[in-house]
């Protein structure tokens, strides 16, 4: 099928957003930035240091050692049991945070330090690529204020914003953004020849089979301080596919903000493909 494909976007918003301008050392060795002691070795047995930053994340204005560790059982670059360990800069005591089955490939920059809760204390964000064909990246955000670790972004939030949909007559897909209480129609006619061949639509555009698009989890989360108030929001990227992984029908960008002890979807932008 010879077709010129053009992307268009529509912005959906609920509420008001002030949108401004927008190495693996073994724990038994000594790192260039901090000295690993017996307590750390005991806490992180058989683990490797994956990334490291020196930032105040406990809120006492004294910089802490923020250490990302993981175990390597498959390869030198894939890390199981990724865990953030914080050594308090004042007391030298350790605390840690993770969630079940948090793992991924080691990269140069896996740690981001910034305030997501609005309490003026920096939090710890970890991003780890899963290496799958869908380009999925898992994330974790943990707070360590007053040396009390708490994970506020887990595998549950990694699933992405709440979206579902279905194909309907006329080579269209009805997509519902449940968090925003919005429904939109996507034009999927760019792939109509394939759908007719697969028996999903007839030549007149009548739907012959039930098709529910698959919504991928976040492939990326980007910390952005939209309001320039020192508190970071998250810009998330997801993909919607139709009949197969190769049949992308939309890309979704969403804005998440941590409010009232949970992540709220503040807006979403989607794209569709049109045949000229």
């Amino acid at each position: 099928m010879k077709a010129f494909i053009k992307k268009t976007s529509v912005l959906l918003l609920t509420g008001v957003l002030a949108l401004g301008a927008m190495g693996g050392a073994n724990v038994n060795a000594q790192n260039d930035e901090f000295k690993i002691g017996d307590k750390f070795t005991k806490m992180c047995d058989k683990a490797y240091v994956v990334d490291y930053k020196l930032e105040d994340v406990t809120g006492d204005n004294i910089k802490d050692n923020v250490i990302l560790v993981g175990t390597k059982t498959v390869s030198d670059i894939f890390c199981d049991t990724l865990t953030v360990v914080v050594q308090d800069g004042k007391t030298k005591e350790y605390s840690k945070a993770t969630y079940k089955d948090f793992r991924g490939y080691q990269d140069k920059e896996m740690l981001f330090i910034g305030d997501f809760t609005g309490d003026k204390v920096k939090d710890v964000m970890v991003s780890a690529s899963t290496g799958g064909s869908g380009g999925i990246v898992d994330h974790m955000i943990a707070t360590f204020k007053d040396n009390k670790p708490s994970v506020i972004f887990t595998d549950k939030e990694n699933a992405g914003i709440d979206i579902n949909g279905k194909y309907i007559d006329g080579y269209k897909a009805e997509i519902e953004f449940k968090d925003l209480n919005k429904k939109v129609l996507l034009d999927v006619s760019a792939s109509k020849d394939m759908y007719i061949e697969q028996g999903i639509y007839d030549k007149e555009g009548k739907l012959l089979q039930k098709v529910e698009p698959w919504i991928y989890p976040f492939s990326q989360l980007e910390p952005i301080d939209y309001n320039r108030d020192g508190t970071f929001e998250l810009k998330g990227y997801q993909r919607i596919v139709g009949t197969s992984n190769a049949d992308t029908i939309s890309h979704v960008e969403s804005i998440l903000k941590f409010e009232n002890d949970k992540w709220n979807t503040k807006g979403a932008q989607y794209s569709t493909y049109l045949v000229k």
Side-chain angles (χ1 to χ4, degrees), residues 3-198:
F4 176 77
I5 298 189
K6 181 179 180 182
K7 181 182 286 190
T8 61
S9 298
V10 177
L11 183 66
L12 309 177
L13 288 175
T14 58
V16 177
L17 273 178
L19 301 178
M22 299 288 171
N26 191 291
V27 297
N28 295 315
Q30 180 173 321
N31 188 280
D32 291 339
E33 301 289 345
F34 63 94
K35 185 174 181 180
I36 295 171
D38 292 339
K39 288 184 179 181
F40 180 83
T41 304
K42 185 176 181 180
M43 175 182 284
C44 303
D45 185 33
K46 299 180 180 179
Y48 286 76
V49 176
V50 180
D51 201 356
Y52 165 83
K53 289 189 181 297
L54 183 65
E55 295 275 2
D56 173 27
V57 296
T58 58
D60 59 2
N61 294 317
I62 299 174
K63 290 186 176 181
D64 310 299
N65 289 313
V66 182
I67 313 152
L68 177 64
V69 302
T71 57
K72 298 183 180 181
T73 58
V74 178
S75 71
D76 288 339
I77 60 173
F78 189 84
C79 304
D80 281 313
T81 321
L82 285 167
T83 304
V84 174
V85 178
V86 170
Q87 183 187 38
D88 185 274
K90 182 178 180 180
T91 67
K92 307 304 178 185
E93 294 297 316
Y94 293 98
S95 57
K96 64 179 181 178
T98 188
Y99 61 78
K100 185 179 179 181
D101 297 328
F102 184 37
R103 56 174 68 106
Y105 282 90
Q106 182 176 345
D107 204 349
K108 291 181 180 179
E109 288 290 338
M110 300 177 71
L111 287 174
F112 175 86
I113 311 296
D115 179 16
F116 291 95
T117 65
D119 62 1
K120 307 305 178 184
V121 178
K122 292 181 179 180
D123 309 307
V124 183
M125 178 178 178
V126 184
S127 301
S129 173
T130 64
S133 60
I136 298 170
V137 179
D138 283 341
H139 306 83
M140 180 184 77
I141 300 177
T143 67
F144 288 87
K145 183 179 180 181
D146 300 327
N147 286 301
K148 297 177 181 178
S150 175
V151 179
I152 62 173
F153 194 101
T154 69
D155 53 343
K156 177 183 176 182
E157 285 77 25
N158 274 316
I161 65 173
D162 197 356
I163 307 171
N164 60 28
K166 62 181 179 180
Y167 276 33
I168 60 175
D169 290 342
Y171 304 114
K172 290 182 172 59
E174 183 182 86
I175 304 297
E176 181 181 9
F177 294 83
K178 300 185 72 173
D179 294 343
L180 300 173
N181 194 27
K182 297 282 187 179
K183 288 185 179 180
V184 300
L185 292 180
L186 296 180
D187 187 326
V188 297
S189 61
S191 301
K192 72 177 183 179
D193 288 354
M194 179 182 70
Y195 294 149
I196 292 171
E197 184 179 345
Q198 293 174 345

